[in-house]
Each structure stands twice: as structure tokens, then as C-alpha cells.
Amino acid sequence: GASAGTTLAVNGSLSNSGAIYAGFQSNAGFTDTLTVTGTLTNQVSGEMLIGAASYENSSDVVNVGALINNGYLYIYPYIGAGSGTIVTAGTLTNTGSLTIGSGDTLNLTGQPNGITDVVAGSTLNVGGTFDAGANNGLYKLNSIEGSLTLNNGQTTNVTPGSGTLTVASGGYLYLESGTTPTTLKVTGNVDNSGSFNENGGNTLTVTGGFTNEAGATSYVGQGTGSDVASMSTLTN
């Protein structure tokens, strides 16, 4: 809400089919807190904005037992606003569109492998910090049927459970620059049947082989900046 330092605690679960703005347009220097002890479900028609939209240096906090996003969930996505919003959830299920803005954090406390599959029809944009306990939230990412964008200026280490990170036909993997270059390191192989796009001074490291299947597209080094791509083998 517009008033600073507001706290809402829900002892149970919360389902949203409309709009929830947590910390929206909060005054600078204050923290708004939303706590849901059970499951927070953002339905297909739901929109959630977490974090201030127009004031700088406002850090907001959301704590939920489990987070299910089937609609649109934005964690501080607006350029020019302040940063520091922290969302903590036991587990995450995402079949909708989820954006983690620059400077903000989504931490999963009960899902140590993080997101293992970016499912078909879903979008995950990681412009901030995405953690799963001691690991990053994509630590065991195995497959992408939807769309994944990394532009957080950090290093994301991925060790697929199957040994191969698979980008399915119709899947998208984008590696883009934020304020600093972004690095993706895959310990294992990459098999691309969809679309891979590396844009603007970033680094891709694949310890195994990179296979570009028939009909797939891969672009490395688009845009400005010096790009680095390394892999043991490349099959096109």
C-alpha cells in the first residue's frame, strides 16, 4: 500500500485471481511485509507486483510457505525504482510468468534443487538473485520447454540431473547482459532443439558437448561486447 511500513499476515493460504500489489509505491526507507503461512497461489488471471514501483530505496519482504504462480508475478521489475525486495518461499511452482528484478531476491528454503524444469508455456526471467538454500535456484535445471532468460550479471552454475540440459523444441534460453556480463556454466552437456541466444558480452561454458539439433537455432555473440563460449565439442 501507499502507507509505509505496512504488515499483513495471513495464517493460512491465500489465492489471488485479481491483483495483489505488495509494497507497491512504498515510501523510501520503509519496509512493507506480507506473510502467508500456507500456500500463496497466483491464479492464471492473477497479477502480483512485489516491491515499490516508483520510489527508490524501499525494501519489501514477502514470506510464504509455498508459492504457486500460474499468472503474472513480478518482483520489483521497474527500471529506475529502488532495489532490495526479498521473497522467501518454501517451494516454488511456476507455470506462468515470473520476473525477478535487478537487485532483488527470491530464495527457496525447502527446494534444494530449485527449478529442474522450465515447463511449456511458462516464462522465468532472472534479473536478480535466485537461490535455493545454499545453491542457486537453477542448480539442477534439467530441461526447458518454456522460456528462460538470465540477465543478472552473476554466474549461474547448472548441473543437470540427467547429465544434459535439454532445450526442447519450442523452448527458449536467453543469456543477456545486465549492468555487468552474465555467465552460465553447465557441468554436463547441452542439447538444443529450440532457441539459444547469447547477447552482449557474456560467457557460456559447457564442460561437455553442445548439440544443435536439426531445426534449432543458436546465436552467440549478438550485440555489443566480447563474448566467450567454450565447450568440449560442438555438433550442428
Side-chain angles (χ1 to χ4, degrees), residues 116-149:
T116 58
D117 184 18
V118 178
V119 300
S122 72
T123 299
L124 178 58
N125 300 315
V126 182
T129 299
F130 181 29
D131 287 334
N135 301 311
N136 78 78
L138 299 170
Y139 170 62
K140 286 290 185 180
L141 182 64
N142 199 64
S143 56
I144 302 170
E145 291 84 32
S147 175
L148 172 63
T149 299

Side-chain angles (χ1 to χ4, degrees), residues 28-113:
F30 292 89
T31 298
D32 291 322
T33 302
L34 170 64
T35 299
V36 179
T37 61
T39 300
L40 173 57
T41 303
N42 194 39
Q43 304 289 359
V44 172
S45 61
E47 179 181 70
M48 291 186 61
L49 274 66
I50 301 174
S54 59
Y55 293 93
E56 295 183 358
N57 303 319
S58 178
S59 300
D60 300 292
V61 175
V62 174
N63 299 303
V64 300
L67 178 59
I68 299 174
N69 178 50
N70 302 318
Y72 294 90
L73 173 57
Y74 305 95
I75 304 173
Y76 225 37
Y78 292 107
I79 298 173
S83 61
T85 294
I86 299 173
V87 177
T88 301
T91 60
L92 169 67
T93 302
N94 180 51
T95 66
S97 178
L98 171 59
T99 296
I100 306 169
S102 176
D104 302 291
T105 299
L106 172 58
N107 184 33
L108 308 180
T109 59
Q111 195 170 321
N113 288 336

Side-chain angles (χ1 to χ4, degrees), residues 1 5-6 13 40 56-57 63 95 97 120 134 147-148 151 154 159-160 162 188-189 198 231:
T6 300
S13 296
L40 173 57
E56 295 183 358
N57 303 319
N63 299 303
T95 66
S97 178
S147 175
L148 172 63
N151 61 344
Q154 300 178 19
T159 304
S162 67
N189 304 304
E198 189 287 313
M231 55 209 70

Side-chain angles (χ1 to χ4, degrees), residues 118 120-121 144-146 166-172 191-195 213-217:
V118 178
I144 302 170
E145 291 84 32
T166 300
V167 182
S169 177
Y172 299 87
D191 189 278
N192 178 38
S193 295
S195 178
E213 302 287 357
T217 58

